[in-house]
Amino acid sequence: MLRIGTIAGSPVLVSPSWFVVAALISYVMAPRVDEVQPGLGAWKYVVGLAFAVALYAAILLHEASHALVARRFGYRIESITLHFLGGATSIDRESASAGQEFWIAVVGPITSLVVGGAALALQFALPDGLLLLVVDGLAASNLYIGILNLVPALPLDGGRVLKSAVWAATGRAVTGSVVAGWAGRVLAVALVVLALLASARLHTDPFFTLVWLLFAAFLWAGASQSINAARMRERMSRIDVRSLGRRTLGVPEDLPLGEAVRRAKEAQAGSIVTVLPDGRPVGVVDERAVRAMPDDRRPWVPVSTVTRRLEPGLTLPVTISGSDLLDALQATPAGEYVLLDEHGGVFGVLATADVVRLLR
């Protein structure tokens, strides 16, 4: 990924696939440039490349609008990425309400429609020439992007609008995601059928048929991912962290590993946490690292050698559940997390393997 700047304090990245689409746009536009201004030679491809840059600048505005509204609602924007099929804004967590989901989603298509409308109006003030050609292309493409993204099917923005509407009507975000996800799957299948029929009956350009098939694959994958993620969050909401947490034993960091394991077995503890003299936890012992340590070495190495320091994200409140739990596990992947009770004391340890086993 190539980083080209920041928006809303978050990195703007360009995927290598963008250079492929920029070259394709340059190639496809070259004949039209020749019609408008013959005799440019190789420079006609530069004009096509300039249009590709202008088009993706407009797509960046589309994504930036998502980011700015999400940030206004208090979300952290992890990145904005430009790629082969457009762009994507990565937000740190799911929307907290149907209203927030609606506004974060709908502002992108609105931005594209505004840019397209402005370009359309600008055409009337420009003389014939290459600039008019570029502005004409921007008007058509942005209006197309805006209208397409309002189609109510995930992973398009319109799918998130549909999700917010179903969410508001049913009170369940999961239902909204599943309905909008299935709409995306239906749309993907319809696009495949239409692309193949157009190729067979109308003999459309194979390049455009390929683009539509790729877009259909993108829709199917995105819709399926949204459905699976929604169902995962629903299952996560049924997990009781308090009952799933393992009983833990607190030991000093310099205690020999063999002695720590012996004490844990004696106390019937399923996990070990290293603590300071005042009882504050500082690390959680990695179960896999303990199993990998030979028995004859355990009496001679301190327990700290197989301990992961409690960095931010490795302690969780025992009351956490549902989407918050899934977001926490995804944000800081680890084998174990220390659970803290309502007073900040150690309640136990949550093992990722236990969560996965329960979900399965």
Side-chain angles (χ1 to χ4, degrees):
M1 292 286 186
L2 174 65
R3 179 168 177 166
I4 61 171
T6 59
I7 290 179
S10 304
V12 177
L13 308 174
V14 175
S15 166
S17 63
W18 178 86
F19 296 96
V20 176
V21 76
L24 288 173
I25 290 174
S26 179
Y27 175 77
V28 170
M29 279 199 66
R32 182 73 180 114
V33 174
D34 255 342
E35 291 177 10
V36 174
Q37 190 164 332
L40 286 178
W43 285 100
K44 63 186 176 184
Y45 297 106
V46 177
V47 175
L49 183 61
F51 171 71
V53 172
L55 172 61
Y56 272 81
I59 291 174
L60 182 58
L61 282 177
H62 175 115
E63 297 301 328
S65 65
H66 288 309
L68 292 172
V69 172
R71 188 175 180 184
R72 182 69 179 268
F73 284 130
Y75 299 103
R76 182 171 59 85
I77 311 304
E78 296 178 341
S79 65
I80 298 173
T81 304
L82 300 178
H83 53 70
F84 184 84
L85 290 173
T89 301
S90 178
I91 304 174
D92 66 335
R93 62 188 186 277
E94 293 289 310
S95 300
S97 68
Q100 291 182 3
E101 181 78 3
F102 172 81
W103 286 113
I104 293 172
V106 80
V107 70
I110 290 175
T111 300
S112 293
L113 292 174
V114 169
V115 172
L120 189 64
L122 184 59
Q123 291 180 52
F124 297 100
L126 294 175
D128 291 342
L130 293 179
L131 182 57
L132 179 61
L133 175 65
V134 171
V135 172
D136 180 62
L138 285 175
S141 58
N142 278 279
L143 291 174
Y144 171 77
I145 290 170
I147 294 171
L148 177 64
N149 270 280
L150 286 175
V151 174
L154 283 173
L156 300 176
D157 294 331
R160 296 184 62 188
V161 173
L162 174 60
K163 171 188 171 181
S164 69
V166 176
W167 183 355
T170 64
R172 299 184 75 248
V174 171
T175 303
S177 294
V178 171
V179 169
W182 272 105
R185 284 178 166 177
V186 170
L187 178 61
V189 172
L191 287 178
V192 170
V193 173
L194 290 174
L196 295 178
L197 284 176
S199 179
R201 301 280 182 87
L202 303 177
H203 306 290
T204 53
D205 190 321
F207 170 75
F208 290 104
T209 301
L210 177 61
V211 169
W212 279 110
L213 291 176
L214 287 174
F215 185 60
F218 162 76
L219 285 177
W220 181 273
S224 299
Q225 183 179 14
S226 298
I227 292 171
N228 293 335
R231 289 173 174 166
M232 175 69 74
R233 289 179 184 277
E234 185 175 37
R235 290 195 293 270
M236 291 289 283
S237 67
R238 294 196 287 264
I239 292 178
D240 182 6
V241 173
R242 190 180 294 272
S243 62
L244 192 61
R246 297 180 178 182
R247 179 186 298 178
T248 188
L249 173 71
V251 299
E253 292 184 281
D254 57 356
L255 186 71
L257 177 58
E259 176 61 15
V261 171
R262 186 195 67 79
R263 291 186 188 181
K265 289 180 179 178
E266 189 176 81
Q268 296 183 335
S271 60
I272 303 172
V273 172
T274 56
V275 296
L276 296 175
D278 61 3
R280 283 183 295 141
V282 292
V284 57
V285 172
D286 189 327
E287 184 179 355
R288 290 169 296 181
V290 173
R291 289 198 299 266
M293 183 71 66
D295 290 344
D296 58 350
R297 289 196 58 200
R298 292 183 181 183
W300 310 106
V301 296
V303 71
S304 59
T305 59
V306 293
T307 298
R308 181 172 180 177
R309 303 291 295 183
L310 288 182
E311 302 164 355
L314 292 182
T315 58
L316 303 174
V318 73
T319 54
I320 195 169
S321 64
S323 296
D324 292 337
L325 175 59
L326 182 58
D327 290 338
L329 299 186
Q330 291 176 335
T332 312
E336 293 86 17
Y337 302 83
V338 174
L339 298 174
L340 303 179
D341 61 23
E342 291 80 354
H343 306 291
V346 176
F347 176 86
V349 166
L350 177 67
T352 304
D354 292 342
V355 176
V356 172
R357 189 159 45 246
L358 188 60
L359 290 175
R360 287 177 178 171

